[in-house]
Amino acid sequence: MSKQIVLNIFMAGFLFTFFIQIFWGRLVNKFGAFGGILSGTFISGSIWIISHGLNKPLIYQSGSIWIDMAWAPAIGGITFSILNGHSFKNAFPNFLAAISGGIFAGMLICTLQ
């Protein structure tokens, strides 16, 4: 894997995390649950297209095994929270729920294929 590919993957993860941190909460505060749907659609969709859907995407898939983009905002969100004085201990139940949901969704997708 070249340095350019590594840089592109890092940039895609940064963009996804940055847009989530900047815009998601604002849209939810302004529009409620519909803001969450808008955020999920526009933020995740736009970054997915930039990362995977273009002729020259930011993220290069080198094999059949892939890692979901959700790891980038998860790690970025935890880092952002800790750097702003929040406790990881308080967020741990939500973190476990997110991991459990991801595992369940992955098992469901594998079952349906």
Side-chain angles (χ1 to χ4, degrees):
M1 192 177 301
S2 72
K3 291 179 185 178
Q4 183 64 43
I5 291 172
V6 172
L7 183 63
N8 286 354
I9 292 169
F10 181 80
M11 178 59 79
F14 172 80
L15 283 173
F16 193 34
T17 304
F18 181 76
F19 279 100
I20 286 173
Q21 292 293 330
I22 297 297
F23 297 114
W24 199 298
R26 291 179 184 179
L27 285 169
V28 170
N29 289 340
K30 185 164 184 148
F31 299 111
F34 184 67
I37 294 169
L38 285 173
S39 298
T41 302
F42 291 115
I43 295 171
S44 300
S46 299
I47 300 301
W48 187 91
I49 289 171
I50 292 169
S51 299
H52 302 289
L54 300 175
N55 288 336
K56 289 190 171 195
L58 283 178
I59 296 179
Y60 172 75
Q61 282 306 132
S62 59
S64 61
I65 297 175
W66 54 274
I67 297 177
D68 194 291
M69 280 179 40
W71 282 107
I75 294 167
I78 290 168
T79 305
F80 179 80
S81 296
I82 290 172
L83 291 175
N84 285 308
H86 300 283
S87 170
F88 180 71
K89 182 180 172 185
N90 294 340
F92 194 69
N94 292 340
F95 185 70
L96 284 180
I99 295 293
S100 301
I103 291 170
F104 177 72
M107 291 179 358
L108 183 64
I109 288 171
C110 288
T111 304
L112 296 174
Q113 287 183 346

